[in-house]
């Protein structure tokens, strides 16, 4: 998925609060994140539309992030995790152990944003590895557009379930692109005793074709949900 490719270029994502006309003359909170993208067919080499939407959710809820420990799985270029770290969370970025270039992408994104304290490790969905077993407690699990290949869906869900059994109060924040009406994780959530809450995009100012001063998510249909253990509190 993330083999060596062509040279990367730097893309800027600029997050800011919406303001009315009276407020536009005043300074407003703003966050600029740089991502070294490669416009290549390899999945992890550029930012997908779902990542910008999830990053917007983190920015919108940035005041609750300091003191939280957050794990991003399938991080790729790591935009959501970088935003979380910039907003004060303790962040762990992860991607498949089988393709070291994916982890190099994470390292590059951290380095260009001057985030030297972010932990990066290999985690392969569906595998109980030493890295998975050695993870500290986490409060939030992030993933953007990991529900891409249906054959991977259960591996992702089982990994999330394993993490939540060890962290019963944790939540899984995920965005996905609607590509087929026949693809669903509802049966898997029921099988693994997980529940999900749909989060409307308008509730965090993400119901737009352009976010963070970028052309993404465009006209793609993006959804967001929060997944937790079926017996856990929604708070």
């Amino acid at each position: 998925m993330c083999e060596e490719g062509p040279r990367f270029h730097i893309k800027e994502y600029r997050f800011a609060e919406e303001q009315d006309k009276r407020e536009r003359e005043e300074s407003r909170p703003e966050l600029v994140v740089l991502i070294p993208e490669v416009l290549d067919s390899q999945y992890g080499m550029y930012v997908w539309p779902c990542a910008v939407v999830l990053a917007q959710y983190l920015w919108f809820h940035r005041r609750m992030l300091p003191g939280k420990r957050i794990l991003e799985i399938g991080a790729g270029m790591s935009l959501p995790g970088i935003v979380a770290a910039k907003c004060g969370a303790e962040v762990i970025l992860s991607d498949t152990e089988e393709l070291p270039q994916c982890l190099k992408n994470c390292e590059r994104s951290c380095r260009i944003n001057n985030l030297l304290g972010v932990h990066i490790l290999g985690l392969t969905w569906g595998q109980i590895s030493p890295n998975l077993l050695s993870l500290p407690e986490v409060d939030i699990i992030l993933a953007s557009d990991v529900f891409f290949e249906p054959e991977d869906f259960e591996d992702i869900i089982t990994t999330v379930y394993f993490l939540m059994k060890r962290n019963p109060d944790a939540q899984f924040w995920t965005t996905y692109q609607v590509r087929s009406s026949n693809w669903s994780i509802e049966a898997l959530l029921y099988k693994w005793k997980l529940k999900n809450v749909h989060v409307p995009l308008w509730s965090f100012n993400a119901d737009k074709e352009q976010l963070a001063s970028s052309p993404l998510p465009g006209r793609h249909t993006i959804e967001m949900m929060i997944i937790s253990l079926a017996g856990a509190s929604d708070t």
Side-chain angles (χ1 to χ4, degrees):
M1 280 187 346
C2 301
E3 302 293 340
E4 291 287 343
R7 290 182 303 170
F8 60 87
H9 74 281
I10 308 304
K11 191 164 184 180
E12 181 181 276
Y13 295 86
R14 189 177 293 270
F15 299 86
E17 284 187 346
E18 290 192 345
Q19 293 179 305
D20 60 30
K21 291 181 180 179
R22 290 180 301 174
E23 296 174 317
R24 286 174 186 167
E25 300 300 321
E26 303 174 4
S27 61
R28 59 175 179 168
E30 185 176 74
L31 174 65
V32 177
V33 174
L34 303 177
I35 297 293
E37 291 188 324
V38 176
L39 296 180
D40 187 87
S41 59
Q42 307 298 336
Y43 298 170
M45 301 293 273
Y46 59 93
V47 173
W48 289 61
C50 289
V52 184
V53 174
L54 184 56
Q56 171 66 20
Y57 187 80
L58 290 156
W59 167 251
F60 189 85
H61 293 286
R62 62 192 179 278
R63 292 177 182 85
M64 68 172 288
L65 298 181
K68 300 291 187 184
R69 182 178 288 132
I70 295 178
L71 168 69
E72 183 174 6
I73 63 173
M77 304 312 299
S78 311
L79 177 62
I82 296 294
V83 169
K86 287 282 191 178
C87 291
E90 179 184 346
V91 172
I92 303 169
L93 300 175
S94 71
D95 213 315
T96 176
E97 295 175 282
E98 298 170 356
L99 296 169
Q101 181 61 29
C102 293
L103 301 179
K104 291 180 182 178
N105 290 341
C106 299
E107 293 171 0
R108 190 180 295 123
S109 292
C110 289
R111 188 165 58 248
I112 201 169
N113 287 284
N114 298 312
L115 292 172
L116 304 180
V118 173
H119 300 286
I120 299 169
L121 76 165
L123 289 180
T124 301
W125 304 327
Q127 296 183 13
I128 306 299
S129 65
N131 280 346
L132 183 64
L133 292 170
S134 64
L135 278 172
E137 293 182 359
V138 297
D139 301 297
I140 300 166
I141 305 160
L142 301 176
S144 61
D145 214 12
V146 295
F147 295 107
F148 184 85
E149 301 284 1
E151 59 264 32
D152 292 332
F153 287 5
E154 187 154 23
D155 284 343
I156 297 164
I157 293 296
T158 56
T159 299
V160 170
Y161 176 78
F162 177 85
L163 289 166
M164 287 187 167
K165 288 298 287 184
R166 300 183 71 186
N167 303 273
D169 295 324
Q171 294 183 333
F172 179 36
W173 297 359
T174 184
T175 49
Y176 64 96
Q177 182 175 328
V178 178
R179 295 183 173 89
S180 171
S181 60
N182 296 323
W183 294 0
S184 174
I185 63 169
E186 292 295 330
L188 290 172
L189 294 178
Y190 180 80
K191 175 182 176 179
W192 290 98
K193 298 180 175 59
L194 298 170
K195 62 181 178 181
N196 70 296
V197 175
H198 177 259
V199 182
L201 301 192
W202 60 260
S203 69
F204 56 101
N205 298 333
D207 54 339
K208 302 172 179 62
E209 291 186 12
Q210 298 185 351
L211 292 172
S213 302
S214 81
L216 298 176
R219 296 187 178 181
H220 302 287
T221 301
I222 309 299
E223 302 286 353
M224 176 166 177
M225 58 185 167
I226 295 177
I227 295 173
S228 57
L229 289 175
S233 169
D234 291 327
T235 57

